[in-house]
Amino acid sequence: MPKLRLGPKWRQSRIRNGLIQGLVLLLIGVAVVYFGANLVQNLQRLRLPFGFDFLFSKSGPSIGETLIEYSPTDNIARAFGVALLNTLRVVVLGIVLATVVGIGVGMARLSDNWLVRKLATFYVETLRNFPLLLQLLFWYLAVFLKLPTFENRIQLPGPIILSKNGVAFPWLKGNPATLPWILALAIGSVCAFLLWRYLIRLQIEQGRITFAGLWSLLLLVGIGGGAALFTQRFPFDVSLPYVDQRVVTGGLQLTSEFSALLLGLTLYTAAFIAEIVRAGIRSVSIGQSEAARALGLKPTLVMRFVVFPQALRVIVPPLTSQYLNLAKNSSLAVAVGYPDIYYVASASLEDTGRSVEIVLLLMAIYLTMSLLISILMNLYNRSIQLVER
């Protein structure tokens, strides 16, 4: 039997690949050290200090819209925290709203109704072909700032108050019964979902009508009735906006800057998500739908149990990219004067002159936010993939 000749160890693929990867990491490390040393040398030559101690100086920038208490006498670190909350508020709401609108428009693009299909096509082809910055300026300058002044405000039924200052409309306010209601409805929702899933599976396997939606709804209503008997009140009080001494009080109040930014980001991103959803549904073989309908499933059940679960495997990876784009595009808030993290960083840069530290801080914040979105979406994507045996 001839002997197997392995040759020199460095020619073995495993060792060769390890050496190449080690060399690449070494080159990256050398580059980082070189640029870091160059930065320190230049800062020393210009006699500029380097450090993050300026974050604790008592001279934060002025911020007109905050979710927590803040005043310009607070330190810059708190100002960054307030701005980060403002950014997260826009990003989270934008992702949720863009997903809902995008799925709706994507489904409308496949509708059999000619008018609905053409309107959805017009929406997608219009909004995705204009720069986002231009759209934000349009919503802010041509829509919200064209509203009448607060003295000549528009008051719609509801009441809904519209003026240059922003939009105010009725909203729900928590009370002592909110927590028991939330716990009861959370438990009830889980039970109703499990019951609905069991009855739907029974309907598919045995081919008989089980009234899954009706029984699940009755279960949820029964648990809600128990919570009402226990707390003797509704879980929320309705807060209506009203004008008191030239100031709007109560309800949910959104400034013109926040409204323009949220509306622009949502509609722009939803146009791309709609195309992703349409492509994902189109990727599922038409035979799958025909086979499901041949088994007697209704169109809604065909979409819910056959088409959409398979389309999700195609939809989620590009959807992650759109979520990341929305998070990064939120930095355009500075164009409409919304105090996000980029806005506060620019104001702090003018006050302190610490350009390197602030740019590094901004990069770290956006990188962390993007990595968090990416990790969550990758976990979800992994959970819906087919497991091969």
Side-chain angles (χ1 to χ4, degrees):
M1 182 177 179
K3 293 183 178 178
L4 181 62
R5 300 184 60 183
L6 297 176
K9 287 187 176 179
W10 64 271
R11 287 187 177 180
Q12 297 178 21
S13 61
R14 183 172 60 85
I15 296 177
R16 187 173 62 244
N17 291 340
L19 289 174
I20 292 174
Q21 292 173 24
L23 181 61
V24 170
L25 288 176
L26 180 63
L27 291 175
I28 293 174
V30 170
V32 170
V33 171
Y34 172 76
F35 286 114
N38 188 48
L39 172 65
V40 172
Q41 185 179 5
N42 286 330
L43 289 175
Q44 289 176 347
R45 182 170 56 83
L46 297 172
R47 296 181 179 178
L48 293 175
F50 181 81
F52 293 91
D53 54 325
F54 71 95
L55 291 174
F56 303 101
S57 61
K58 299 284 187 180
S59 59
S62 177
I63 302 177
E65 187 171 352
T66 64
L67 293 177
I68 58 176
E69 290 186 5
Y70 172 78
S71 72
T73 57
D74 291 331
N75 57 39
I76 297 178
R78 186 171 179 82
F80 269 86
V82 171
L84 181 59
L85 287 178
N86 284 346
T87 298
L88 292 176
R89 180 189 183 197
V90 168
V91 170
V92 173
L93 285 176
I95 286 176
V96 173
L97 295 176
T99 304
V100 173
V101 176
I103 291 176
V105 175
M107 304 278 280
R109 288 267 282 154
L110 300 172
S111 173
D112 294 331
N113 187 299
W114 181 87
L115 181 60
V116 172
R117 189 171 65 251
K118 291 302 178 185
L119 286 176
T121 303
F122 176 77
Y123 168 85
V124 171
E125 296 300 336
T126 302
L127 290 187
R128 73 174 181 175
N129 288 314
F130 281 110
L132 175 59
L133 179 59
L134 190 61
Q135 294 188 37
L136 291 178
L137 292 176
F138 169 79
W139 290 115
Y140 184 58
L141 299 176
V143 177
F144 286 98
L145 288 192
K146 291 299 180 184
L147 291 172
T149 59
F150 185 75
E151 289 73 17
N152 301 316
R153 60 189 173 276
I154 301 172
Q155 185 154 343
L156 302 175
I160 299 174
I161 301 174
L162 302 173
S163 72
K164 281 187 177 180
N165 295 351
V167 183
F169 47 86
W171 197 245
L172 301 176
K173 187 174 69 174
N175 58 39
T178 301
L179 184 59
W181 266 93
I182 290 177
L183 291 175
L185 290 180
I187 296 171
S189 299
V190 172
C191 295
F193 174 74
L194 293 176
L195 177 63
W196 175 79
R197 191 172 178 178
Y198 169 75
L199 292 176
I200 286 293
R201 181 174 297 174
L202 206 65
Q203 179 174 326
I204 294 174
E205 291 176 352
Q206 301 182 3
R208 60 188 179 89
I209 299 175
T210 56
F211 300 103
L214 177 62
W215 285 114
S216 303
L217 181 62
L218 287 176
L219 176 62
L220 193 59
V221 169
I223 293 176
L229 289 175
F230 177 74
T231 60
Q232 298 291 315
R233 64 185 302 181
F234 290 107
F236 297 100
D237 295 331
V238 178
S239 175
L240 302 176
Y242 60 94
V243 179
D244 182 18
Q245 298 180 352
R246 299 171 59 85
V247 176
V248 177
T249 306
L252 181 63
Q253 302 169 33
L254 304 177
T255 63
S256 296
E257 292 78 14
F258 175 79
S259 304
L261 178 64
L262 181 62
L263 189 62
L265 284 175
T266 298
L267 295 181
Y268 179 77
T269 309
F272 292 91
I273 293 178
E275 284 302 272
I276 292 172
V277 171
R278 185 179 70 87
I281 293 175
R282 284 289 190 195
S283 69
V284 180
S285 170
I286 190 67
Q288 299 280 333
S289 304
E290 293 175 348
R293 282 196 292 269
L295 291 174
L297 292 180
K298 296 179 179 178
T300 53
L301 293 179
V302 172
M303 180 61 70
R304 166 69 182 84
F305 290 104
V306 179
V307 178
F308 212 72
Q310 298 183 70
L312 270 180
R313 300 182 187 114
V314 180
I315 290 173
V316 170
L319 189 63
T320 304
S321 299
Q322 292 306 318
Y323 288 170
L324 294 175
N325 287 339
L326 188 147
K328 289 176 286 190
N329 287 339
S330 67
S331 62
L332 292 175
V334 70
V336 296
Y338 179 70
D340 75 326
I341 191 70
Y342 188 82
Y343 177 92
V344 171
S346 301
S348 301
L349 176 60
E350 292 179 1
D351 294 339
T352 63
R354 300 292 190 91
S355 56
V356 176
E357 294 91 335
I358 289 179
V359 169
L360 289 175
L361 201 57
L362 270 181
M363 291 172 63
I365 290 173
Y366 279 107
L367 179 64
T368 304
M369 191 161 54
S370 297
L371 288 178
L372 188 60
I373 293 174
S374 182
I375 290 171
L376 293 176
M377 290 302 293
N378 285 336
L379 288 174
Y380 178 65
N381 186 40
R382 189 178 300 172
S383 70
I384 61 174
Q385 294 300 315
L386 287 175
V387 180
E388 297 183 357
R389 298 178 180 177

